[in-house]
Amino acid sequence: MKHLINAICLFLCCSYGFGQKGLQILPEFSIGQPIGAYSNNTFKAKNGFGGGLHLEKQNIWKVFGLGVYAGYQSYDTDFSIAFPSQINEASLRSRVYVDYKNLNWKSLQVTLGPTFNLQLANKLQLQGFTKAGIAKVTYPEYRYYVDVASPTTEQFTLFEANTPNDTKSNFNFMMLSGFRFNYKLSNTFGIHIGANYTHIKGLIHTYTSRDIQITGDEIPSVLYETLQNTPETTKTCDCSINTVNGTVGITITIGGGSNPQIETKDEPDIPITTNEPEEDYNCERVIYEAPGYNDYVVLSQSPYAVFEWIDENSRSVKEDKAYQLIFYIKENGEYKEVDRHIMESKRRFKIGLNPNKNYPENVLYWKIIPVDANKSEFCPEPTKMMRLLVFKNSNEAKKRLPECLKEEVISKPENTNFFKKPKTN
């Protein structure tokens, strides 16, 4: 218990050291179904509910992170009475009663473990986790009994469940594994739905029962005789709690970046005087303006980049043209496309760069490809590839940039159009 608390405290303290990854707070509600021995006649558990709170740091190392969980579960018990609930006959007067302190299996849970996070779409994530920890289980304590008033005054126990004396202060090992689909409604708020599996090991369940064999058609004297001749038996079982649970909840993100949010702006089409023939479109006259090759952006200072270009072809030959802005990363020496956007007659594009994405060697490549009215590429020659250096924070930039540029990353930019151009020696 002490080691787990220390680990959770270390996690919460370190949460402030992973700046751009963001801390996710995920309260959830669950509805569960017992499985295995937990649902049979030994435990007599039936459907239940629960609630809890996940604290998770996503993408600490690529798609993997770390999280803690604190939660609660409660499962009802379902005892079937094998004796008529009430008899009012001269030969037998009886009634079945229940005396209880707690009819449910309950548990308080604390766990710690790894998480993973996959970006499925712009706002949709698939997240999973496997966490281990401890659970404090509260046993059901109740007694069903037959109170006989005639022919004699007696009580006969049908079923009795108690907390074993040696487990009242025990903590049980548990594991919690699951997944969720997380949909972001905004930079800081979202909703999630998922499922999980709970395993709590090493329970000792002691119960007393009277295994009465009746059909319900017996006369009162036979019922009374059955009560007298059926002995009580006490059993102790070493079992585990196993449940599957459906979950739903909300997601609150603190301190992290968001998924890319795209903003494009219309700009007037300013005719450019050129000596080139107006009949033919020249792909080389699409000129990159910003960011320049090897410009860089520090995401902790400005989470946006603005891409600009001009088309120096005459208005008449580019009336039916559009542009594709394509982004790449480079893996194993090959370019891998990660995103593309098509724009009708726009030459300026503002995009929020996601700090949770992986930019190998801190490089994001991009290029502009003109397309015709059918959105088909028509430039015969390969389009020029540009690159932008992307750093999550100043410390990362200082490690990667040349010595002559390291001091520039200290000052915070005044606006979101933030690019520092490398100096030349």
Side-chain angles (χ1 to χ4, degrees):
M1 178 67 178
K2 180 179 179 181
H3 295 299
L4 180 63
I5 293 175
N6 290 338
I8 293 173
C9 292
L10 179 62
F11 165 79
L12 294 174
C13 292
C14 291
S15 293
Y16 297 98
F18 296 109
Q20 290 299 317
K21 300 298 188 297
L23 175 66
Q24 282 193 341
I25 304 174
L26 303 114
E28 67 180 21
F29 174 79
S30 66
I31 297 177
Q33 170 68 50
I35 59 175
Y38 189 46
S39 62
N40 67 15
N41 290 332
T42 301
F43 279 80
K44 299 187 180 297
K46 61 180 183 180
N47 293 356
F49 69 94
L53 182 69
H54 295 266
L55 298 179
E56 297 182 351
K57 292 288 291 185
Q58 303 291 347
N59 305 100
I60 295 175
W61 184 74
K62 295 184 178 180
V63 300
F64 296 99
L66 184 65
V68 298
Y69 171 78
Y72 168 82
Q73 284 185 343
S74 176
Y75 285 86
D76 294 340
T77 53
D78 185 16
F79 177 76
S80 298
I81 301 173
F83 194 86
S85 59
Q86 187 170 351
I87 300 175
N88 288 307
E89 297 286 343
S91 59
L92 177 63
R93 289 180 177 271
S94 69
R95 186 171 180 177
V96 176
Y97 290 92
V98 58
D99 181 17
Y100 67 90
K101 295 180 180 179
N102 173 33
L103 290 175
N104 295 354
W105 290 91
K106 302 175 183 178
S107 62
L108 295 174
Q109 308 164 358
V110 180
T111 59
L112 170 70
T115 67
F116 74 86
N117 180 46
L118 298 177
Q119 194 75 35
L120 300 180
N122 190 31
K123 295 183 179 181
L124 182 64
Q125 298 168 322
L126 173 61
Q127 298 177 338
F129 53 87
T130 296
K131 299 171 183 176
I134 55 175
K136 178 65 174 71
V137 178
T138 300
Y139 289 73
E141 295 190 51
Y142 62 90
R143 174 180 174 238
Y144 281 90
Y145 62 93
V146 180
D147 193 349
V148 178
S150 174
T152 60
T153 302
E154 294 181 80
Q155 285 187 0
F156 298 90
T157 298
L158 298 179
F159 187 91
E160 183 176 11
N162 291 301
T163 301
N165 292 330
D166 58 346
T167 62
K168 288 185 176 180
S169 60
N170 277 4
F171 290 92
N172 299 83
F173 172 79
M174 72 162 290
M175 292 196 67
L176 177 69
S177 298
F179 69 92
R180 71 178 77 92
F181 291 98
N182 184 31
Y183 185 79
K184 300 196 72 175
L185 300 174
S186 68
N187 290 350
T188 58
F189 186 79
I191 57 177
H192 64 84
I193 184 170
N196 65 50
Y197 167 72
T198 303
H199 171 76
I200 303 177
K201 184 181 180 181
L203 298 180
I204 301 175
H205 179 36
T206 300
Y207 65 95
T208 300
S209 65
R210 179 177 265 104
D211 188 15
I212 295 177
Q213 303 296 324
I214 61 176
T215 64
D217 298 327
E218 291 84 355
I219 61 175
S221 60
V222 172
L223 291 174
Y224 180 62
E225 184 179 348
T226 301
L227 285 174
Q228 287 186 313
N229 295 333
T230 305
E232 291 183 0
T233 58
T234 299
K235 296 181 180 179
T236 299
C237 299
D238 188 357
C239 302
S240 298
I241 289 179
N242 294 283
T243 64
V244 290
N245 310 277
T247 62
V248 64
I250 63 173
T251 305
I252 302 170
T253 304
I254 299 176
S258 62
N259 292 326
Q261 293 190 355
I262 300 163
E263 174 189 337
T264 60
K265 296 182 179 180
D266 289 318
E267 292 190 353
D269 193 1
I270 303 174
I272 300 175
T273 303
T274 176
N275 294 326
E276 292 292 327
E278 296 186 357
E279 292 79 12
D280 297 323
Y281 187 91
N282 187 344
C283 296
E284 294 182 357
R285 298 192 69 84
V286 177
I287 309 299
Y288 298 99
E289 289 204 318
Y293 195 82
N294 275 355
D295 286 358
Y296 67 84
V297 60
V298 180
L299 297 181
S300 62
Q301 299 177 357
S302 173
Y304 296 97
V306 179
F307 298 83
E308 296 184 84
W309 64 94
I310 60 174
D311 189 341
E312 293 187 344
N313 286 282
S314 64
R315 182 194 298 268
S316 60
V317 299
K318 64 182 181 182
E319 284 182 349
D320 61 345
K321 304 298 186 295
Y323 308 92
Q324 286 191 10
L325 174 59
I326 308 178
F327 295 96
Y328 301 85
I329 59 174
K330 200 170 186 179
E331 293 182 338
N332 300 322
E334 297 183 355
Y335 292 105
K336 175 184 176 183
E337 180 181 328
V338 294
D339 201 5
R340 72 165 59 199
H341 305 274
I342 188 163
M343 288 139 294
E344 303 286 348
S345 303
K346 292 184 176 68
R347 299 184 304 280
R348 188 176 190 271
F349 187 81
K350 180 180 179 181
I351 183 170
L353 299 175
N354 188 346
N356 292 330
K357 283 190 175 180
N358 181 32
Y359 300 97
E361 300 297 324
N362 298 99
V363 177
L364 176 66
Y365 295 91
W366 63 283
K367 66 180 180 179
I368 302 296
I369 298 181
V371 295
D372 60 20
N374 297 320
K375 306 300 185 289
S376 299
E377 300 177 15
F378 59 87
C379 293
E381 298 297 330
T383 308
K384 180 181 178 182
M385 185 80 75
M386 299 289 285
R387 75 176 188 174
L388 172 68
L389 302 179
V390 181
F391 304 105
K392 291 181 174 62
N393 50 56
S394 297
N395 290 334
E396 186 179 75
K398 290 176 183 179
K399 294 178 182 179
R400 305 284 302 184
L401 288 172
E403 289 296 331
C404 60
L405 300 176
K406 292 186 185 299
E407 295 302 322
E408 294 187 18
V409 301
I410 298 176
S411 61
K412 186 176 181 179
E414 297 180 357
N415 54 61
T416 58
N417 297 341
F418 175 59
F419 297 103
K420 295 290 187 179
K421 297 182 179 296
K423 298 177 181 178
T424 56
N425 294 327

